[in-house]
């Protein structure tokens, strides 16, 4: 376990690496795939002399809107990494190269953070984010590292929070998805100017130790907790072909 943790310690702590509010200070860049085209439909000329023209114009607008929606859906479905929206208020990420998938709240933007495989965050509330990383491991099961509480305390103290932050483990639990064990960790990390309430889920597959972490400012936890739990619970590892 210590050898695998040493690999994680090479990069900055996950939480500390992207929490400042200004993306420009970190040199973060919005992902190009999130640029969306906005279509404007011309308003039909109003002709009070006949309702038939109005009905025809209305049908044409509906057909045009339908075509735009269909095109957008087709583009999403054919994207190699981003699937169509699978749950109201969420978008899905499916990474076939690295073998994992998860949901994140609609409106969060992808940013580039060194040492992280993927990061999505809210541009207004920078503590609201989700990140995923992985390191090689020879272990076959997360339970090989020990029980949830023991593993959680090590990760929080060494990886998931900055050494300067005060941390508190709230809960560590285990669940199973399709025969694969996952540990879920809930904890608080307190810095001088903010307190973050976070959730992490960890598991092993494809010869990798996966860590997904999401969270929010403590003052917004009650408002965000259901959405953040959806993110953590949606995380799944699948075998790379």
């Amino acid at each position: 376990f210590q050898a695998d943790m040493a690999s994680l310690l090479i990069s900055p702590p996950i939480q500390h690496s992207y929490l400042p509010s200004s993306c420009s200070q970190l040199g973060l860049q919005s992902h190009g795939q999130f640029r969306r085209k906005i279509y404007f439909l011309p308003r039909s000329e109003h002709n009070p002399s006949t309702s038939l023209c109005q009905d025809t114009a209305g049908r044409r607008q509906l057909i045009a809107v339908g075509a735009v929606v269909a095109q957008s859906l087709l583009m999403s479905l054919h994207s190699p990494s981003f699937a169509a929206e699978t749950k109201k208020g969420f978008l899905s990420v499916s990474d076939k190269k690295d073998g994992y998938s998860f949901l994140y709240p609609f409106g969060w933007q992808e940013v580039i953070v060194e040492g992280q495989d993927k990061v999505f965050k809210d541009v207004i509330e920078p503590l609201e984010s989700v990140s995923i990383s992985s390191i090689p491991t020879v272990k076959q099961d997360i339970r090989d590292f020990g029980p949830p509480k023991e593993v959680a305390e090590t990760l929080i103290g060494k990886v998931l929070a900055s050494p300067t932050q005060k941390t508190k483990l709230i809960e560590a639990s285990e669940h199973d998805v399709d025969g694969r064990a996952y540990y879920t960790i809930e904890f608080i990390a307190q810095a001088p100017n903010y307190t973050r309430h976070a959730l992490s889920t960890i598991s092993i597959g494809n010869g990798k130790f996966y860590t997904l972490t999401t969270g929010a400012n403590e003052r917004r936890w009650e408002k965000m907790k259901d959405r953040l739990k959806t993110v953590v619970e949606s995380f799944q590892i699948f075998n790379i072909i």
Side-chain angles (χ1 to χ4, degrees):
F1 181 64
Q2 294 297 330
D4 287 298
M5 290 302 99
S7 298
L8 274 174
L9 288 170
I10 293 174
S11 14
I14 293 172
Q15 184 180 183
H16 185 65
S17 62
Y18 60 89
L19 290 182
S21 58
S22 173
C23 292
S24 60
Q25 291 177 356
L26 294 174
L28 304 181
Q29 300 175 356
S30 297
H31 199 282
Q33 287 179 284
F34 281 82
R35 295 179 180 175
R36 298 185 177 183
K37 293 182 179 179
I38 301 176
Y39 297 84
F40 295 92
L41 299 177
R43 179 179 292 181
S44 301
E45 293 292 333
H46 180 63
N47 186 355
S49 63
T50 173
S51 60
L52 177 60
C53 292
Q54 293 176 340
D55 292 341
T56 302
R59 285 197 295 270
R60 286 175 179 172
Q61 283 190 335
L62 287 173
I63 292 171
V65 170
V68 171
V69 172
Q71 182 182 20
S72 298
L73 287 173
L74 285 172
M75 290 175 66
S76 297
L77 289 171
H78 285 84
S79 172
S81 298
F82 296 89
E85 189 172 348
T86 57
K87 185 175 181 178
K88 187 176 180 180
F90 291 85
L91 294 175
S92 173
V93 178
S94 181
D95 192 315
K96 296 180 180 179
K97 179 181 177 181
D98 291 319
Y100 64 81
S101 64
F102 64 92
L103 301 177
Y104 68 94
F106 183 82
W108 286 12
Q109 295 184 3
E110 184 172 17
V111 295
I112 307 302
V113 177
E114 186 178 358
Q116 304 299 307
D117 190 50
K118 279 185 174 60
V119 177
F120 296 87
K121 65 181 295 184
D122 187 289
V123 294
I124 298 174
E125 295 286 345
L127 295 185
E128 294 173 14
S129 60
V130 58
S131 66
I132 181 168
S133 62
S134 63
I135 59 169
T137 181
V138 296
K139 303 289 188 183
Q140 300 296 315
D141 193 298
I142 193 66
R143 290 170 290 199
D144 294 340
F145 287 114
K149 184 178 179 181
E150 177 184 325
V151 176
E153 289 175 342
T154 301
L155 282 175
I156 293 171
K158 303 290 187 181
V159 179
L160 299 177
S162 168
T164 60
Q165 294 175 336
K166 295 180 180 179
T167 60
K168 177 183 178 182
L169 173 63
I170 297 175
E171 184 180 7
S173 60
E174 176 184 339
H175 68 280
D176 184 278
V177 178
D178 297 330
R180 192 188 306 276
Y182 294 76
Y183 286 175
T184 299
I185 305 164
E186 181 178 351
F187 66 98
I188 292 175
Q190 184 177 0
N193 57 340
Y194 67 84
T195 299
R196 193 185 195 219
H197 200 132
L199 295 169
S200 290
T201 183
I202 56 176
S203 189
I204 289 177
N206 303 307
K208 298 178 181 180
F209 184 109
Y210 295 85
T211 304
L212 179 143
T213 300
T214 186
N217 195 307
E218 178 64 27
R219 62 179 169 79
R220 284 176 53 83
W221 172 252
E222 289 301 318
K223 181 177 181 178
M224 291 296 299
K225 65 180 181 180
D226 289 339
R227 274 178 279 181
L228 300 180
K229 288 178 180 178
T230 295
V231 173
V232 165
E233 292 169 358
S234 71
F235 179 64
Q236 290 192 35
I237 299 169
F238 53 84
N239 294 330
I240 300 173
I241 300 176

